[in-house]
Amino acid sequence: MKTEPAYTRSRRIDTAFGTGRPIVSFEFFPPKTQESAAQLYETIGELHSLRPSYVSVTYGAGGSTRRHTIDVVQKIQSALDTRAMAHLTCVGHTRDELATILDELWAGGIRNILALRGDPPADPSLLPNGMGELATAAELVQFVSSRHEFCVAVAGYPEVHPKCPSFDQDLDNLKSKVDQGASFIITQLFFDNADFYRFRDAARRRGIKVPIIAGIMPILNVAQIKKFVSMCGAKIPAALLERIESLHSDPQSVLAIGVDHALTQCRELIKQTADGLHFYTLNRSKATMLICLELEDTFAALGE
Ligand SMILES: Cc1cc2nc3c(=O)[nH]c(=O)nc-3n(C[C@H](O)[C@H](O)[C@H](O)COP(=O)(O)OP(=O)(O)OC[C@H]3O[C@@H](n4cnc5c(N)ncnc54)[C@H](O)[C@@H]3O)c2cc1C
């Protein structure tokens, strides 16, 4: 087997684990317009100064943003000295299509894939290939690993995937994704750390040993966060919801409360030895920047 050169090997996210410091990552979505592209690259440039362990770029299920994801992730990889990860969903794709995407990413120097099933549209017959040839993320993990030696991550759900009938069944699915070769897990966003600890403890008892990165979404806007939680099945604690709702016409106060809540979550997660923090930035830098700057003291206390 060909040995991977050191410069591309170091782009693998699994080379960042095990330093004693939790890894920190930022997620972006591909821009739809030239204006939003300019804003995205400005945001990435600002957040890059925080030296993230890696950055990731989302993928539109069914392939709607396929070209954009590939272009953005490769641009980040080549322009910035950082590890980059492409999200990839299998719903609606044939094996051949997935293989073409993976070959292109590999040839472009990308070494990390977040393997996801994705959500089918309400009417899957609208997708050219219907539901596609792979049914689950576990099958995609296996497919990705068989194509190239990618470092593969998968999604985990502290509050259970909204379509899954039970916590146990969701953990079985997570275990099978890890057994197929996933190197680490990134969780869905959550606002109550107790949900994360319960999930992590249960995963460890189930024999899932890979790092589990906590998904953090700083609240920026009341209507927007309510829409996200309704889609992904996370809950906002009642007291927090009441506070932001009472201030919904004062965006600066909502942002301040969102930053404060996320910062408290992150400090506690670091104390409780979370393997990492993954920020859903929504292509905005301010909240993530404020939180990460405040966390520097907490990281310093770890002996950095
Ligand atoms: C960190 C993160 C990033 C994400 N990025 C994106 C993105 O870029 N683009 C996007 O479109 N979506 C993204 N999503 C959302 C994700 O695509 C959806 O949550 C999707 O519904 C499930 O994807 P999955 O990879 O978790 O699927 P899977 O792991 O396949 O599981 C989905 C559900 O099906 C159940 N299940 C799986 N296999 C079986 C089985 N054999 N029998 C019974 N039940 C089973 C699971 O328990 C789970 O409830 C992201 C989610 C997270 C947490």
Side-chain angles (χ1 to χ4, degrees):
M1 188 181 289
K2 239 168 70 185
T3 315
E4 169 131 44
Y7 80 98
T8 48
R9 212 195 126 57
S10 67
R11 291 177 181 170
R12 294 177 62 97
I13 295 168
D14 49 13
T15 62
F17 290 109
T19 64
R21 180 191 163 115
I23 73 167
V24 172
S25 53
F26 304 139
E27 177 178 309
F28 304 105
F29 56 83
K32 290 203 176 91
T33 61
Q34 276 197 346
E35 205 184 23
S36 56
Q39 182 188 334
L40 171 65
Y41 290 115
E42 198 182 316
T43 299
I44 292 174
E46 283 163 5
L47 291 178
H48 182 57
S49 65
L50 295 166
R51 294 186 298 121
S53 312
Y54 71 92
V55 301
S56 79
V57 181
T58 65
Y59 188 87
S64 58
T65 63
R66 162 185 178 167
R67 187 70 261 152
H68 300 313
T69 301
I70 297 174
D71 290 348
V72 173
V73 80
Q74 288 184 344
K75 192 163 173 183
I76 293 173
Q77 178 78 85
S78 60
L80 305 173
D81 182 21
T82 190
R83 301 175 187 91
M85 174 165 74
H87 298 208
L88 179 63
T89 63
C90 58
V91 69
H93 277 311
T94 61
R95 283 190 171 78
D96 281 352
E97 285 172 342
L98 292 166
T100 303
I101 296 167
L102 290 168
D103 292 351
E104 188 173 347
L105 288 166
W106 183 264
I110 303 302
R111 292 295 178 263
N112 309 289
I113 302 288
L114 176 56
L116 301 146
R117 186 198 60 185
D119 288 310
D123 180 0
S125 68
L126 295 176
L127 294 172
N129 306 305
M131 288 294 281
E133 290 183 352
L134 303 183
T136 64
E139 289 178 34
L140 181 61
V141 174
Q142 193 190 33
F143 186 80
V144 170
S145 307
S146 69
R147 195 77 196 167
H148 297 285
E149 282 186 68
F150 283 108
C151 168
V152 185
V154 291
Y157 300 88
E159 297 177 74
V160 184
H161 186 279
K163 294 276 165 58
C164 190
S166 79
F167 188 68
D168 279 349
Q169 195 174 321
D170 222 16
L171 276 179
D172 287 342
N173 178 52
L174 185 61
K175 175 84 166 67
S176 66
K177 293 195 275 192
V178 173
D179 289 347
Q180 290 301 335
S183 302
F184 67 104
I185 295 160
I186 307 173
T187 77
Q188 187 53 279
L189 61 101
F190 60 90
F191 295 99
D192 183 347
N193 287 357
D195 291 319
F196 177 81
Y197 302 140
R198 174 172 166 258
F199 167 76
R200 183 177 63 174
D201 290 349
R204 297 297 183 231
R205 281 197 301 276
R206 195 64 65 111
I208 296 171
K209 296 190 177 128
V210 298
I212 302 178
I213 311 297
I216 301 292
M217 184 177 277
I219 295 174
L220 307 177
N221 169 299
V222 180
Q224 182 190 52
I225 200 68
K226 282 166 98 172
K227 185 171 155 216
F228 281 125
V229 296
S230 74
M231 288 186 321
C232 75
K235 64 176 183 306
I236 306 177
L240 177 62
L241 183 60
E242 209 175 293
R243 276 184 82 201
I244 57 171
E245 277 183 328
S246 70
L247 290 165
H248 72 96
S249 54
D250 177 358
Q252 289 311 316
S253 297
V254 171
L255 179 85
I257 291 169
V259 166
D260 189 53
H261 183 81
L263 183 57
T264 306
Q265 272 193 284
C266 292
R267 284 201 172 115
E268 206 211 305
L269 285 162
I270 294 169
K271 236 199 255 165
Q272 298 298 327
T273 66
D275 295 308
L277 306 169
H278 179 78
F279 289 92
Y280 296 99
T281 69
L282 301 175
N283 292 6
R284 296 272 187 275
S285 61
K286 190 171 174 185
T288 304
M289 181 72 102
L290 287 169
I291 295 163
C292 290
L293 290 174
E294 286 290 330
L295 285 176
E296 286 193 351
D297 286 354
T298 314
F299 285 130
L302 293 174
E304 284 293 301

